[in-house]
Amino acid sequence: NAGVMQNPRHLVRRRGQEARLRCSPMKGHSHVYWYRQLPEEGLKFMVYLQKENIIDESGMPKERFSAEFPKEGPSILRIQQVVRGDSAAYFCASFPGGAGYNEQFFGPGTRLTVL
Amino acid sequence: SQQGEEDPQALSIQEGENATMNCSYKTSINNLQWYRQNSGRGLVHLILIRSNEREKHSGRLRVTLDTSKKSSSLLITASRAADTASYFCATDGGRDKLIFGTGTRLQVFP
């Protein structure tokens, strides 16, 4: 059973370009979280998605950022018109859902560098 | 602002010594978790302690929780060079989202 997959692992973009980050949750997991980690800091929550639904996007900037988790395929975090301040590691985590506590399983992250 | 603050920010010890990291948080919690992050990698879940628990063990790890002081500690006994990593505490922020602390960077020298 493969773990959470993220790609690409490293992404370099110039200012103004678009960045698309992909996350494939563990098999059987229908809940995905995205977190951002700036250098030398902890992870900060961005968005929580279930299949075809955004449950909580309170941590995501209102402009330029969007996320989706379609019925088929990976979850996508999309950053339009990137700026240098978007340079960070972006992690997704998945869990199966259901009652009770669910441990989140983290992917290896995508490291975005904006030149 | 982030829920958790870790102390110390960085810690350097020799192999065989114990490492203690502390985490303080601000609001009521249902549980608190500790994660490890090796340089350039994702997070690995270490241990979860629920709000009604005071202490928990897992191998060389010992976690304590004091809800009256809103603090937790992670003790790694008999540390190894392979324990070198950043350690984060995380509390539940509602809807199962995690609120992470700023982390403690642990360096274990052989």
Side-chain angles (χ1 to χ4, degrees):
Chain A
N1 185 13
V4 178
M5 310 282 284
Q6 287 187 251
N7 68 82
R9 295 291 304 275
H10 298 273
L11 181 62
V12 179
R13 285 285 179 265
R14 295 191 181 279
R15 281 180 297 170
Q17 291 185 318
E18 179 180 288
R20 278 182 179 246
L21 288 61
R22 295 174 188 78
C23 169
S24 296
M26 289 181 68
K27 187 177 181 180
H29 288 193
S30 58
H31 297 242
V32 166
Y33 291 87
W34 284 93
Y35 296 85
R36 176 166 65 178
Q37 184 179 34
L38 296 172
E40 306 299 319
E41 292 189 12
L43 278 70
K44 290 188 178 180
F45 167 79
M46 297 183 74
V47 63
Y48 166 30
L49 308 110
Q50 293 181 24
K51 286 280 187 181
E52 300 183 279
N53 284 305
I54 296 175
I55 305 302
D56 184 349
E57 56 182 347
S58 60
M60 201 153 68
K62 295 289 187 291
E63 298 179 353
R64 302 189 297 109
F65 284 73
S66 62
E68 63 177 8
F69 189 15
K71 186 177 180 181
E72 301 291 337
S75 175
I76 305 288
L77 179 66
R78 182 182 176 206
I79 311 172
Q80 296 178 289
Q81 299 175 322
V82 295
V83 300
R84 289 217 174 106
D86 297 332
S87 295
Y90 293 82
F91 292 92
C92 77
S94 75
F95 74 94
Y101 165 71
N102 287 284
E103 177 186 339
Q104 294 186 22
F105 295 84
F106 282 81
T110 292
R111 276 148 189 83
L112 172 66
T113 301
V114 180
L115 301 177
Chain B
S1 63
Q2 292 190 140
Q3 171 83 317
E5 296 291 331
E6 267 110 331
D7 170 62
Q9 289 188 338
L11 180 62
S12 294
I13 58 174
Q14 296 288 135
E15 263 192 330
E17 294 180 337
N18 296 340
T20 300
M21 289 158 267
N22 302 297
C23 165
S24 60
Y25 57 92
K26 296 177 181 175
T27 61
S28 297
I29 60 171
N30 294 315
N31 60 70
L32 184 145
Q33 305 175 59
W34 285 90
Y35 285 83
R36 184 185 71 213
Q37 183 181 35
N38 289 80
S39 180
R41 301 286 187 90
L43 275 72
V44 174
H45 183 262
L46 295 176
I47 196 166
L48 176 147
I49 186 165
R50 299 189 186 280
S51 60
N52 61 352
E53 298 176 307
R54 290 296 166 260
E55 188 171 311
K56 202 161 184 180
H57 296 254
S58 176
R60 293 183 296 113
L61 305 180
R62 172 177 168 253
V63 168
T64 62
L65 179 64
D66 187 335
T67 53
S68 66
K69 295 181 180 178
K70 292 186 169 57
S71 67
S72 175
S73 68
L74 170 67
L75 168 68
I76 304 174
T77 60
S79 62
R80 306 167 182 167
D83 294 328
T84 295
S86 291
Y87 292 81
F88 296 91
C89 67
T91 54
D92 56 303
R95 286 180 167 165
D96 290 320
K97 69 184 178 190
L98 297 174
I99 308 297
F100 285 87
T102 50
T104 293
R105 280 160 285 287
L106 174 66
Q107 175 82 50
V108 181
F109 291 98

